Amino acid sequence: MNRRLSLAAGAVAVLVLAYGSASWYAGRVTQQSIESWVSQANQDIKAQWASDEAPPVLRVDEYQRGLFSSQVRYVFEFRDDKGAAQAVSLQDDLQHGPWPLAAVREGHWGPLAAYSRVRPLPGGPWQPWFAAVGDGTTAPWQADSRVGFDGRVASLVTLKPARTPDKRIDFSGGTMRVVYQPETRHVSLSAQAKSLDVQDADLAVRFHGEDLRLDSDTTRSGETDLQSRQELKFAQLRITDGDNPEIRFTQPSMRAETARTGSLLDSRVQYDLGQLQAGGQDLGAIRLKASAEQLDVQALQALLVALDQTRAGKDDDAPLSPEDEQRLRPLAMAVLASSPRVSLDEFSWTTPKGKTDARALAQFRPAADDAPQDLGALLERGIGQLTAHAGVSKPMLLDILARSQAGANPDMMVALVSMLFDQYSGRLARAGLVKEQDGQVQADVSYADGKVTVNGQPMAPEALAALVGGALGLGQ
């Protein structure tokens, strides 16, 4: 019997030693992975950073690695809108693998490098969020993550309900699931919340969203290349402004797709605002699509920063000095060099009475070295093509006007707008600037190489300006 007990004790000792060794190895693998993730995060931030100031930095402030667990503290340092240095801290309680107890409790029996629980620490910019969830010490969120030996991470972020003392933010709480695949550098995210109520501090306008859902997929390659897709949905979005009628959108959504190669960006965004109601009246459905292609992000950022610095302390309508134009000229040429294309692919507002729509395109081209020194002339030379289309439905416009005047007698307002619409659309039609058919007024305009085409008819830009001024009475 004693011999059996000795053998059992020896076996237990061997298992404990083996598990301890495995746990120590898992802790070392996890520490290497964390250091690699922090380094990669800083590279990604730097690659996407738009300002000429130093980018934010994530660093490991403290790492205490034990045999079966570790304590890690992260610090994220950045500058706020006023340029003041700020920092937020995160605490990570790590349980080493191969079978972390917290993961086993969740029913996950597969071997893991670690189980991580990250939460923010009080103080600094975090503190108002801490105060919004209760006593000022309870963490407003925590992220529980399973970390595989291959670097795969599956996280569940739990956000607590929060309400600011001034009630400008009222959040129901929610969850977010994130999965990271190291071999493809693919990140998938899915988040949901019951409600979010936010009041704009400047405009006193309140936004209330119900049943929010966010889905995102991003794949990176190299330091800057990426492909991403995001989709945000609401079951309902309400906007209130004092005593004005409530505006309500039913099932609005936003979709965005982005592809970046080096500094060149292709992006598409689509807003489906769903059914629009104002004051209980159905005002139709609104959709907007826009895109940008071959846009040199770094060159555009450099131009915008330089332009902002040039305008600092000056009136918005103050002309640029020759010195300013010379400084901005090479930056503008760098933006044009990639032949960017920006377009409004669709704007449509549809009701049972009709449809109002618009489209626009701006295609640019590189400017030669002998291009004009004048910045305005340079930008004009860089225009390859401009096109625009607009169509307005009179029955739809009058119907929306009548519905939006709920509670009042809309007849006079509708009659006045109808008269003005007929008057000005008639003038524009007689000048050849628009086409009229069945209550629909349409116009198509294009510009290329100094020539303008209006509804298929070529004309000089000066002639177009004179026609528009005459039709609208601006020349009288």
Side-chain angles (χ1 to χ4, degrees):
M1 187 67 178
N2 290 337
R3 183 170 179 272
R4 291 179 179 177
L5 287 174
S6 297
L7 289 173
V12 170
V14 169
L15 290 174
V16 170
L17 180 61
Y19 189 85
S21 299
S23 184
W24 176 87
Y25 173 75
R28 185 166 69 93
V29 170
T30 301
Q31 183 173 358
Q32 292 172 346
S33 297
I34 287 175
E35 292 171 348
S36 175
W37 295 333
V38 169
S39 176
Q40 185 61 56
N42 286 324
Q43 290 180 25
D44 293 341
I45 292 172
K46 186 176 181 180
Q48 304 295 326
W49 190 239
S51 173
D52 57 346
E53 297 180 351
V57 175
L58 176 66
R59 61 181 177 85
V60 177
D61 187 53
E62 184 178 3
Y63 203 117
Q64 298 179 356
R65 180 154 63 92
L67 182 60
F68 298 105
S69 63
S70 295
Q71 299 293 314
V72 188
R73 178 172 295 185
Y74 308 92
V75 175
F76 185 69
E77 300 172 335
F78 62 98
R79 292 190 175 275
D80 60 19
D81 295 339
K82 298 180 180 179
Q86 300 283 359
V88 293
S89 298
L90 303 167
Q91 177 66 36
D92 190 354
D93 299 324
L94 281 170
Q95 296 181 20
H96 300 170
W99 290 281
L101 181 59
V104 173
R105 286 174 176 171
E106 291 183 351
H108 185 89
W109 290 89
L112 294 172
Y115 186 95
S116 166
R117 173 162 290 175
V118 175
R119 64 184 187 279
L121 295 177
W126 287 131
Q127 196 56 42
W129 198 354
F130 273 80
V133 301
D135 57 6
T137 60
T138 301
W141 58 267
Q142 72 177 36
D144 296 317
S145 304
R146 300 193 302 268
V147 184
F149 283 98
D150 59 354
R152 183 180 185 272
V153 182
S155 302
L156 172 63
V157 182
T158 305
L159 300 100
K160 294 183 178 297
R163 175 184 291 180
T164 58
D166 57 9
K167 297 184 180 180
R168 286 184 173 174
I169 298 178
D170 191 349
F171 178 52
S172 66
T175 59
M176 179 169 60
R177 297 183 181 275
V178 185
V179 177
Y180 171 69
Q181 301 282 2
E183 63 274 12
T184 58
R185 295 181 63 191
H186 175 259
V187 178
S188 61
L189 179 151
S190 177
Q192 57 187 6
K194 188 65 177 176
S195 66
L196 174 63
D197 194 284
V198 179
Q199 178 175 321
D200 187 285
D202 298 324
L203 303 177
V205 176
R206 183 170 291 277
F207 301 85
H208 178 79
E210 297 178 0
D211 293 331
L212 297 76
R213 183 174 180 87
L214 171 65
D215 293 288
S216 172
D217 287 282
T218 302
T219 302
R220 295 181 179 273
S221 58
E223 294 186 2
T224 59
D225 296 359
L226 64 84
Q227 290 184 328
S228 68
R229 176 198 62 83
Q230 294 85 34
E231 183 174 20
L232 175 63
K233 294 182 178 180
F234 293 87
Q236 191 175 94
L237 179 63
R238 303 200 305 269
I239 304 174
T240 56
D241 179 12
D243 296 330
N244 294 323
E246 180 185 74
I247 298 174
R248 179 178 300 183
F249 298 96
T250 302
Q251 295 185 336
S253 66
M254 185 277 287
R255 300 176 181 85
E257 296 181 359
T258 300
R260 178 166 177 168
T261 304
S263 63
L264 297 183
L265 178 73
D266 292 344
S267 180
R268 289 175 174 80
V269 63
Q270 174 177 324
Y271 295 92
D272 285 305
L273 299 183
Q275 288 300 121
L276 168 63
Q277 290 185 337
Q281 295 290 323
D282 188 354
L283 301 183
I286 299 175
R287 172 180 290 186
L288 184 148
K289 295 181 181 180
S291 61
E293 297 178 0
Q294 291 291 110
L295 187 62
D296 191 324
V297 178
Q298 294 178 354
L300 179 61
Q301 290 169 352
L303 176 61
L304 293 177
V305 169
L307 187 59
D308 186 60
Q309 293 172 344
T310 301
R311 288 294 188 187
K314 299 179 181 179
D315 294 336
D316 292 340
D317 56 353
L320 294 173
S321 68
E323 293 78 15
D324 290 336
E325 292 199 1
Q326 285 301 310
R327 187 164 60 90
L328 295 173
R329 186 176 184 276
L331 300 177
M333 292 185 67
V335 174
L336 298 173
S338 62
S339 300
R341 178 183 183 275
V342 182
S343 63
L344 172 63
D345 301 310
E346 176 186 358
F347 170 79
S348 62
W349 190 342
T350 307
T351 74
K353 295 291 185 178
K355 177 180 179 181
T356 292
D357 66 322
R359 299 186 302 274
L361 166 67
Q363 175 72 58
F364 299 92
R365 60 192 176 192
D369 293 336
D370 60 352
Q373 294 297 312
D374 179 76
L375 187 60
L378 170 68
L379 295 177
E380 182 179 355
R381 184 74 63 86
I383 296 175
Q385 183 182 23
L386 298 177
T387 62
H389 163 84
V392 180
S393 167
K394 178 183 175 182
M396 171 202 159
L397 178 65
L398 298 181
D399 182 57
I400 289 177
L401 181 62
R403 289 175 179 270
S404 63
Q405 300 292 316
N409 185 351
D411 293 344
M412 182 175 296
M413 180 63 70
V414 171
L416 176 61
V417 172
S418 177
M419 180 186 69
L420 292 174
F421 186 96
D422 291 341
Q423 177 181 353
Y424 283 99
S425 64
R427 288 184 180 182
L428 294 171
R430 287 190 294 273
L433 299 177
V434 301
K435 296 180 293 184
E436 292 182 286
Q437 184 176 3
D438 299 328
Q440 184 84 11
V441 176
Q442 296 186 355
D444 291 277
V445 181
S446 64
Y447 170 85
D449 298 325
K451 299 178 181 179
V452 178
T453 301
V454 180
N455 300 321
Q457 299 298 317
M459 64 179 64
E462 298 80 6
L464 173 62
L467 284 174
V468 172
L472 298 180
L474 300 178
Q476 300 176 357

